[in-house]
Amino acid sequence: MAAVADDEPETVEVTLRAVGPSRPTTIRLPPLISVVDLRRRVAQDGRLPEDRLRLVLRGTTLPWGDDDRVKFRDGDSLIVAVAPKPPAEHLRDEDDDDDDDDEEELKFKIPQTTTWWKKRIFIFLRDKLRFPDILLMTLFSVTMKAWIIITLWFLLAPIARKYEFGPLYILATGFLIILLNLGRRQQGDVSAYSIFNEDFRELPGTFNAERIDRDLRAGQL
C-alpha cells in the first residue's frame, strides 16, 4: 500500500475553463478529492458562488452528493459554469400571474348577450368534449344563417352528384360566393377599375398608356 501511495503524486495540475470570456486558469488539486471539496476549492480560487457552481469533467456533470469523489489526472480540464441567479420570489409570483392573465385573455369567450342555448352548447363543447379554442372560435363566429346555408349545401351535394351535376354545382357555388362577397359601394366611392365608374373616371395617379402618352406630349418624360 505504501508503494502505491508513493507512486501517486501529491497534487496534479488541472485547467479550469470558465464558460464565458474568461481565460483558462490552472489549479493544483489532489488526485482524489471529494466533489464538495472540489467545488469549494474552485469557488475560492475563482471567487465564484459555490451554491450556483456547475462542474463538468470529461463530458460528465459532477453530482452534488457529499460522498461522491472524483479522480483527476495531470493535465485534465474542468469546465466551470455559474448558473444564473433566480429572480426574487415576488417577481416570480408576478410573472406567474402575468402568464395566467395572458392565457385567460387568449382564450375564446362568447359575448354576454349570447342566447342561453348557445352558452350551454359552448360550455358542453369546451368543458366536456375539450374542443380547442380555435375550433370554438370558428363554430361560434359563423351566423345561424350561414350554418343553414352550409347544411343545405351538403344536403344538395349528393343530389347534384347523383344527376352528374357535381362539377357544375361546385362552380356555381364558387361564383355565388364571389358575388355575395363583392359588397356594395357607398355613395361617392370610386372603383379602382375605371370601367365600373361613371364616365369611366379614373383614380388620381393611375398609370396607364393614356397617362404615358399625355406625359410624352407634355415633355415630362
Side-chain angles (χ1 to χ4, degrees):
M1 295 295 291
V4 174
D6 293 338
D7 291 340
E8 289 187 356
E10 293 183 359
T11 60
V12 293
E13 186 177 274
V14 178
T15 303
L16 302 180
R17 301 183 182 276
V19 176
S22 302
R23 292 184 177 181
T25 59
T26 58
I27 185 175
R28 298 203 69 86
L29 298 169
L32 187 63
I33 185 174
S34 66
V35 177
V36 175
D37 293 336
L38 173 63
R39 197 181 305 276
R40 186 179 302 112
R41 291 281 299 274
V42 173
Q44 292 174 354
D45 183 77
R47 297 181 180 179
L48 301 172
E50 184 179 342
D51 58 333
R52 293 189 284 119
L53 214 55
R54 301 291 187 273
L55 305 176
V56 180
L57 178 65
R58 306 187 193 105
T60 303
T61 303
L62 300 183
W64 288 86
D66 295 338
D67 299 331
D68 294 309
R69 291 180 173 270
V70 60
K71 188 172 184 179
F72 282 107
R73 296 190 295 265
D74 196 51
D76 274 342
S77 293
L78 184 67
I79 298 176
V80 181
V82 179
K85 189 175 182 180
E89 186 175 353
H90 69 279
L91 294 178
R92 292 198 299 268
D93 294 339
E94 289 179 2
D95 291 339
D96 293 340
D97 294 339
D98 292 340
D99 293 340
D100 295 338
D101 293 340
D102 293 340
E103 291 180 1
E104 287 295 328
E105 291 178 0
L106 292 174
K107 288 183 178 180
F108 174 69
K109 299 178 182 178
I110 58 176
Q112 295 295 330
T113 55
T114 307
T115 56
W116 64 270
W117 59 271
K118 277 190 177 182
K119 290 182 180 179
R120 287 182 175 274
I121 295 175
F122 173 77
I123 294 173
F124 176 76
L125 295 177
R126 185 191 61 184
D127 298 339
K128 300 296 184 180
L129 300 183
R130 302 291 182 181
F131 273 35
D133 288 342
I134 186 66
L135 184 55
L136 291 173
M137 186 184 303
T138 304
L139 292 175
F140 287 90
S141 298
V142 180
T143 61
M144 182 59 66
K145 181 180 179 181
W147 278 118
I148 293 174
I149 294 174
I150 293 172
T151 304
L152 288 175
W153 190 91
F154 279 102
L155 291 175
L156 294 175
I159 299 175
R161 181 175 178 276
K162 180 179 179 181
Y163 292 99
E164 298 183 354
F165 284 111
L168 184 61
Y169 184 71
I170 295 175
L171 286 174
T173 302
F175 281 115
L176 186 61
I177 292 173
I178 294 173
L179 291 174
L180 292 177
N181 286 276
L182 287 177
R184 294 183 180 181
R185 284 187 290 168
Q186 301 296 327
Q187 187 68 25
D189 288 348
V190 182
S191 173
Y193 301 97
S194 59
I195 192 172
F196 296 113
N197 297 328
E198 187 177 355
D199 297 330
F200 301 102
R201 184 158 56 97
E202 297 177 351
L203 291 175
T206 302
F207 193 76
N208 51 23
E210 185 179 350
R211 168 73 179 275
I212 295 174
D213 180 67
R214 185 169 61 251
D215 291 345
L216 284 172
R217 292 176 185 276
Q220 296 180 2
L221 288 179

